[in-house]
Amino acid sequence: MTRLTRFSVAPLATMTRRLADVASGRAAPDLVIQGARVLSTYSERILPEREIWISGGRIAAVKPSGTHKGGAKAIYDAKGGIIAPGLVDPHIHIESSMVTACAYAEAALLNGTTTIFCDSHEIGNVMDVAGVEAMLEDARVAPLSIFLTVPSTVPATSPELETAGGDLTPDKIAALFDKWPEAVALGEKMDFVPVAMGDERSHAIIAAALSRGRPVSGHVYGREFVAAYAASGVTDTHEAIDREIADDMLEAGIWLFLRGGPPTTPWHSLPQAIKTITELGSSHKRVAVCTDDRDADDLMLFGLDWVVREAVKAGMSPEQAWSMGSLHGATRFGHDGEIGGMGGGRRADLVLMGDDLDPQSTWYGGELVVDGAKITPLLDAALSDRYQYPKAAYQTVKLPAGLKLTPELPSGPGTLHAIRTELPGITLGHDRIEIEAANDWGTLFERHGLCFVTVVERHGKSAGNVAHGVLSNFSLLRGAVASSVGHDSHNIIIAGTNEPDMKLALETVAATQGGVCVVADGKVLAKIDLPIAGLLSDKRVTEVAEETKALKVEWEKAGCSIPYMGFNLIPLSVIPEIRITDKGLVLVPEMEIQAMFEPA
């Protein structure tokens, strides 16, 4: 059998006569889905008593019930359920799920998502162009439609502020656009301050996209940056955190992707940003919903379908919300002639659900891949035949021996600059703690509620850069936690109460060429192995979801005040107000290195 991929459905240009014959009744459909109500994303209505005629993996027509008189190869009874176009996620990072593109497809299809637009800047930060291209090869054999928004900000800042494994220059980005048809846009331009300030490299990267007719995706905090950002050619963003900046963005001509994330993570900004519609009266026509980041566990539980339902809770009608989850994302990237609706000629990427908008069955290119909320044997076979990443992807953690993971104790009184963690975990505070002389770190930690935080360069590009700092309000009770997913350069970040456990955490991550772990008293309590680029597991998403659940239990027992995905953001040196990279503490937006301790 032909492999189930995006390419299983022939281009529309080769099928128009066949589809016209089926729609006109001159030829029999391959499949008729009967007894359905149709959610139209075009008119935002639910149309009663309809049947869908499918041929060659595409929709030939949506007809009144009873129109088909026989001859179809297969009939499916929807039993009065709602049929809608498959969901389209306009902004996600596959790597956040810690699984490969092929594995990601399983959770996506269970949640009714049939198309995603991914920004693979994580693997780009580790492996440069080779990583991005490996992800694209992976995507081509996945049973899911996966398009790329080319990573635009690798590294996120500069070699003076952090060491990354990749350096995607304007020329490299241009070459990716020219080589890969799946490269449909420029990924989120994270360095919004340099963009607003007219930085030459940042604008050369934007020009590489605009000169090829590709749109530019964004990432911006602060209303004062919106005008310059829009003037620089950025036309979407997923980072609106309240109704005011959301409103500014819409008025500046920027598409709004409302990001829904589990409330326990840093990513649930939809309830506030959607108020530009529900309270300020703006239209939803240039508003979509997205997931952005999900770990494997949350991906299974809180897919894009969940975000759509959150939009309903926030005041949108079910028809509006589903359109924001399907047609609007497709339209933003110019794919609405192919996906996002149920017009004739569109791909038969369909979802069957009840009135609660909870997907039960999914068709991908006319093939039933999920039925009764369970994957079919067809999809199981496709998921079992996954892409094999190149050998170099399994060799990305390169550490020298004898690293010191804790700083020297301050010799006297002075100011200790600490990173204050706060829920939900995106922005971090800058604490300036006046300390007195102490005989040991434990005394200072107990008095001021601190623990160590260390970033270790793992790409083998330095002489073993190690940066030391302290966290306040992280509430780590014992042991250490570590991750090779330290955004965005993906160096290893460790927090701990003592050096032996921090060393064990580092050794645990390094032993499997990447991972996340919790250790205490010389024992590993939980871990997720991420051998591919230090970012991805090579297991099925269901297995990784179970490992993630176990990690979360131990993470909470350790006392960590923010979830591990928020912990991974501590080195992200493009978000206020203070971060730590392998070069030291970084002040944002000043983009300056700050000494950890200043003597009195």
Side-chain angles (χ1 to χ4, degrees):
M1 179 183 169
T2 304
R3 191 164 190 162
L4 181 65
T5 71
R6 176 167 62 90
F7 306 100
S8 301
V9 175
L12 179 59
T14 67
M15 294 181 60
T16 53
R17 293 181 67 192
R18 174 183 175 181
L19 291 169
D21 285 345
V22 173
S24 300
R26 295 188 297 273
D30 296 334
L31 169 67
V32 173
I33 302 175
Q34 295 181 335
R37 291 174 287 158
V38 165
L39 192 159
S40 170
T41 54
Y42 302 130
S43 62
E44 295 186 347
R45 297 177 294 176
I46 293 180
L47 309 174
E49 299 180 0
R50 294 295 192 273
E51 58 188 38
I52 301 98
W53 295 4
I54 296 168
S55 183
R58 292 185 179 274
I59 297 169
V62 177
K63 301 272 190 175
S65 292
T67 304
H68 176 251
K69 302 303 181 184
K73 296 177 183 177
I75 302 290
Y76 186 98
D77 185 1
K79 298 179 180 179
I82 296 173
I83 295 281
L87 292 170
V88 177
D89 199 329
H91 180 74
I92 73 106
H93 303 282
I94 290 176
E95 298 97 317
S96 293
S97 67
M98 300 183 290
V99 297
T100 65
C102 286
Y104 184 96
E106 180 173 2
L109 292 167
L110 281 165
N111 294 328
T113 300
T114 51
T115 300
I116 62 174
F117 292 85
C118 73
D119 182 339
S120 57
H121 69 72
E122 284 92 343
I123 202 167
N125 267 288
V126 176
M127 296 180 61
D128 203 83
V129 170
V132 177
E133 294 195 324
M135 180 71 78
L136 283 165
E137 295 285 4
D138 185 6
R140 282 188 169 184
V141 298
L144 189 72
S145 294
I146 301 176
F147 297 94
L148 176 72
T149 61
V150 177
S152 66
T153 320
V154 176
T157 53
S158 69
E160 290 73 34
L161 296 177
E162 60 186 330
T163 304
D167 180 18
L168 293 184
T169 64
D171 287 344
K172 290 178 182 178
I173 289 169
L176 283 166
F177 279 129
D178 293 341
K179 180 178 178 180
W180 295 88
E182 296 93 332
V184 298
L186 188 67
E188 58 176 307
K189 203 75 189 77
M190 298 182 66
D191 55 340
F192 59 91
V193 175
V195 169
M197 298 301 293
D199 176 73
E200 183 176 356
R201 172 177 163 133
S202 299
H203 282 263
I205 287 171
I206 290 172
L210 294 179
S211 64
R212 288 165 173 78
R214 306 298 206 283
V216 177
S217 296
H219 163 120
V220 61
Y221 287 88
R223 297 176 73 182
E224 66 272 24
F225 296 106
V226 171
Y229 210 46
S232 299
V234 179
T235 44
D236 75 50
T237 185
H238 57 282
E239 295 289 358
I241 60 174
D242 57 42
R243 68 175 195 172
E244 282 74 25
I245 194 169
D247 211 54
D248 290 350
M249 290 169 178
L250 287 178
E251 292 297 347
I254 296 174
W255 276 83
L256 199 61
F257 298 161
L258 299 175
R259 179 177 57 203
T264 57
T265 72
W267 286 274
H268 199 47
S269 52
L270 180 149
Q272 293 302 316
I274 203 170
K275 291 178 180 179
T276 181
I277 300 169
T278 58
E279 293 183 359
L280 299 182
S282 66
S283 169
H284 70 293
K285 67 182 179 181
R286 286 174 62 87
V287 180
V289 293
C290 74
T291 58
D292 193 8
D293 294 282
R294 291 287 191 277
D295 65 33
D297 177 31
D298 285 344
L299 181 62
M300 303 292 288
L301 300 173
F302 302 101
L304 191 59
D305 61 315
W306 178 85
V307 184
V308 167
R309 293 191 293 272
E310 287 294 294
V312 175
K313 289 182 183 178
M316 308 304 294
S317 72
E319 297 86 352
Q320 289 173 328
W322 199 271
S323 297
M324 289 160 61
S326 54
L327 179 62
H328 292 199
T331 302
R332 188 279 179 270
F333 291 112
H335 283 238
D336 50 309
E338 184 79 354
I339 54 176
M342 292 177 59
R346 275 63 170 182
R347 283 182 57 102
D349 296 344
L350 306 172
V351 181
L352 172 64
M353 56 198 172
D355 290 336
D356 57 0
L357 304 186
D358 189 11
Q360 294 299 308
S361 299
T362 305
W363 289 263
Y364 178 63
E367 299 285 356
L368 186 63
V369 291
V370 175
D371 196 20
K374 296 182 179 179
I375 66 172
T376 64
L378 174 66
L379 179 57
D380 187 60
L383 294 167
S384 300
D385 186 15
R386 299 194 296 277
Y387 170 74
Q388 179 63 50
Y389 276 76
K391 184 178 179 180
Y394 290 85
Q395 300 173 338
T396 65
V397 176
K398 304 164 186 175
L399 302 177
L403 297 175
K404 181 170 174 52
L405 301 182
T406 56
E408 295 294 335
L409 183 71
S411 57
T415 303
L416 189 64
H417 293 268
I419 300 171
R420 184 179 68 255
T421 61
E422 296 177 349
L423 286 172
I426 292 183
T427 56
L428 300 173
H430 182 181
D431 280 349
R432 298 164 179 84
I433 303 171
E434 298 304 319
I435 64 170
E436 60 293 317
N439 294 323
D440 56 69
W441 276 109
T443 300
L444 291 176
F445 286 0
E446 186 175 347
R447 287 176 181 171
H448 301 286
L450 306 174
C451 71
F452 296 118
V453 62
T454 300
V455 172
V456 178
E457 192 272 307
R458 60 103 160 181
H459 305 292
K461 290 196 169 186
S462 72
N465 281 357
V466 178
H468 303 121
V470 291
L471 297 177
S472 67
N473 197 44
F474 189 57
S475 302
L476 185 64
L477 300 174
R478 59 179 182 145
V481 296
S483 172
S484 57
V485 192
H487 294 286
D488 265 341
S489 289
H490 299 291
N491 291 307
I492 297 173
I493 179 170
I494 311 160
T497 59
N498 65 87
E499 179 133 359
D501 278 334
M502 293 174 73
K503 284 187 175 180
L504 175 59
L506 178 62
E507 291 165 359
T508 301
V509 168
T512 52
Q513 285 291 301
V516 187
C517 68
V518 180
V519 307
D521 301 323
K523 297 179 181 179
V524 178
L525 303 178
K527 69 187 179 91
I528 306 171
D529 295 341
L530 303 175
I532 303 173
L535 301 172
L536 307 174
S537 172
D538 48 15
K539 299 176 183 177
R540 288 272 288 261
V541 68
T542 47
E543 296 177 78
V544 181
E546 290 302 314
E547 293 176 353
T548 306
K549 287 180 186 177
L551 180 89
K552 289 177 178 177
V553 169
E554 294 299 334
W555 193 272
E556 186 172 339
K557 286 182 180 178
C560 304
S561 63
I562 59 174
Y564 80 94
M565 289 186 77
F567 174 74
N568 288 340
L569 297 178
I570 291 174
L572 184 52
S573 54
V574 292
I575 298 179
E577 122 187 38
I578 185 170
R579 304 280 155 165
I580 182 170
T581 72
D582 68 301
K583 298 294 183 75
L585 295 176
V586 178
L587 299 181
V588 184
E590 296 89 341
M591 308 314 286
E592 297 173 351
I593 298 291
Q594 169 66 57
M596 183 187 76
F597 177 71
E598 293 177 322

